[in-house]
Structure formats: C-alpha cells, structure tokens
Amino acid sequence: MDLGLNGQVAVITGGASGIGRAIATAFAQEGARVVLWDVAANVDAVAQEIAVANSIEALGCSVDITRAESVAAGLKSTLARFHVVDHVVHAAAIGSGKFGFPFTNLSPADWPRVLDVNIMGMVHVAHAIAPHMVERKSGTMSFISSVAGQIGSPTDPPYSASKAANINFAQCMAKDLAGHGIRVNTICPGMVQTPLNRAVWKAWHDQQPEDQRLDYEGWAGDKVKRVVPLGRWQEPSDIADMAVFLASRRARQVTGQTINVDGGFVMHW
C-alpha cells in the first residue's frame, strides 16, 4: 500500500533505538526522508544505516529534549538540510527505573527527571515545531504515550502520570491546530519488549524474595498471557505501522485520537 509519504520529511525523537528506530525505519521504507533526534552518541550512525538500507536521505541530530535551546538547534539543522518538516513522531521517553507498587516504594525525588523528559520534552518539541507547521498550513504530529497513561498503571507512577499528560496535551494541541490543517494524535503501545520494559522487570525482580523471583522471559510471558487478550507481545514495528498510517493521507480525518496498539490490553466501553 502506497501511503503517499515518498519524499516527505519525518522527524523522530528517540529515533536511535527501540520504538523510535522502528518508526524511523518504517517512514524510510515508505520513501520518506527521516531525521533522528536523540541524545545517543550513535544517532548519526543509525540515521546513515537507515538511509543506506532504504535508499533515502537521513540526518542524525544530537538533541536533548529537556532543553528548549537544544530542540531549537535540532530544528534549525533539520530545516537547513531539508527545508521542511512534514511529520513529527515523538518517541523519546524514560521511566523512573524503579518498581512503584505501592507508590510509596518511590520517593518524591524519583519524579522530577521523568516529568522533565516525558512532559517538558514533549512541550519543547511541540512549541518548536508547531509554528513551522502553522506557517505551512500542513503537518502531522504523533506522540508515543502508553496504555499506562490510561489505566493508572501502578508499575511506575511517574511514568504513568507523564503518559497521561502526553495524551491530554496532544488533545489540546489537536483542537488548537486543526484550523491550520495540522493533525495531532497519540499512540499507546501496550506490552513491547524494549529496554524500558526490561528495566521495569529488573526493578520488580530486585524487590522480590529470592524464591519468588522470575527471569525476564518468565515474568514477561506470564504478564502477557494474563493481561493481553491476543496473548502476544506487541513489536516495535506494530507501533511504527500505526505511526506511518497516521502521518498519511489515508488518516486525513483522524485527529485528537488516542489509539492503542496493545493486543486488546485496554478496552473502553
């Protein structure tokens, strides 16, 4: 299926690894030019790997989303190379690195870094990109949230709270920007095997009595069977498929939506 993204420019934050890298690859496979914003030292190398593998142009920019000036510099470099930004997918995020059930396992000191990256990072990206898209009367933005932002998952309360904020702010933006021809949506992964998911297991594992500990595969496999109706992990490519669809003209009537890619984990009725 041709999604009509050939030659367009997509910026992906957190694009050097995990879900972000899968999203960048999916855009490249559609013929889009991709720009990776990431703090990882290998961001440019990853961009070039994607470029060579898909015969497209790509750029890697060292961007710290917690710093507005770094995001502005990333946008400046992007526009200097490609002149436009057609799509943004914001995938950069962190967790607290602790198991938060009950929430008193954490202290207030565990919250600020997560909120800074996951909420203010989104704010910085949105404030930098929106004026450019408003000027062009065109563009899409998709923000990677989580089912944890919908159900108040106790696994990592700072992460859950920040992801709920992502959903809410995206809806605010969708209303503000619709009149300018800009669509804004949120994608919520469910159970995806990423370094962040493994960190949740490690925090849980270290809290358990030795005779109740499970290895990662055992812990994760049991959880997927219990909470995911389809009974299987979601893959980064599943999230990427939704991201490229939402950027395409085939989703031209979709904005302000929170779309779960979670195997049926969360069902609203």
Side-chain angles (χ1 to χ4, degrees):
M1 181 185 295
D2 181 5
L3 293 176
L5 298 173
N6 188 62
Q8 295 186 7
V9 178
V11 170
I12 298 91
T13 72
S17 64
I19 290 172
R21 180 168 181 163
I23 292 169
T25 298
F27 271 99
Q29 289 170 345
E30 293 293 328
R33 297 173 288 175
V34 298
V35 184
L36 280 56
W37 290 2
D38 206 304
V39 293
N42 67 335
V43 61
D44 191 56
V46 172
Q48 296 318 307
E49 287 176 24
I50 292 172
V52 170
N54 296 281
S55 300
I56 54 96
E57 292 182 84
L59 174 67
C61 295
S62 179
V63 174
D64 179 353
I65 60 169
T66 67
R67 297 171 50 238
E69 62 272 23
S70 181
V71 173
L75 179 59
K76 183 177 180 179
S77 296
T78 300
L79 294 177
R81 174 74 176 273
F82 294 124
H83 309 298
V84 299
V85 173
D86 297 295
H87 311 287
V88 171
V89 183
H90 180 58
I94 64 168
S96 72
K98 297 185 178 180
F99 187 68
F101 181 72
F103 75 91
T104 48
N105 281 345
L106 279 67
S107 75
D110 294 315
W111 285 70
R113 176 62 179 166
V114 177
L115 302 187
D116 192 26
V117 173
N118 295 1
I119 299 178
M120 292 310 300
M122 177 185 183
V123 170
H124 292 151
V125 169
H127 275 266
I129 292 290
H132 171 73
M133 290 186 172
V134 167
E135 183 178 354
R136 299 184 65 234
K137 296 292 182 183
S138 176
T140 74
M141 289 190 266
S142 292
F143 296 91
I144 307 302
S145 180
S146 170
V147 294
Q150 299 178 58
I151 61 176
S153 169
T155 303
D156 188 345
Y159 180 80
S160 295
S162 68
K163 291 301 175 178
N166 292 162
I167 293 168
N168 189 281
F169 184 37
Q171 290 173 342
C172 292
M173 281 191 284
K175 293 173 184 175
D176 287 348
L177 298 174
H180 299 285
I182 300 162
R183 297 187 293 104
V184 184
N185 292 288
T186 309
I187 303 170
C188 292
M191 297 288 291
V192 184
Q193 288 181 309
T194 62
L196 183 59
N197 183 270
R198 184 175 283 272
V200 171
W201 160 77
K202 184 67 166 60
W204 169 86
H205 174 274
D206 292 349
Q207 278 187 210
Q208 305 308 306
E210 192 165 342
D211 62 344
Q212 295 180 30
R213 292 177 176 176
L214 297 173
D215 62 17
Y216 177 65
E217 287 71 23
W219 171 84
D222 177 66
K223 188 172 182 180
V224 167
K225 289 175 184 176
R226 284 189 292 106
V227 304
V228 179
L230 288 181
R232 56 180 180 266
W233 284 96
Q234 290 80 67
E235 301 290 337
S237 60
D238 297 324
I239 317 306
D241 288 343
M242 182 59 70
V244 295
F245 169 73
L246 288 173
S248 77
R249 286 285 297 164
R250 291 179 180 268
R252 62 188 177 274
Q253 291 290 348
V254 182
T255 196
Q257 301 305 304
T258 303
I259 301 171
N260 294 351
V261 182
D262 66 351
F265 185 174
V266 177
M267 299 189 189
H268 297 286
W269 64 88

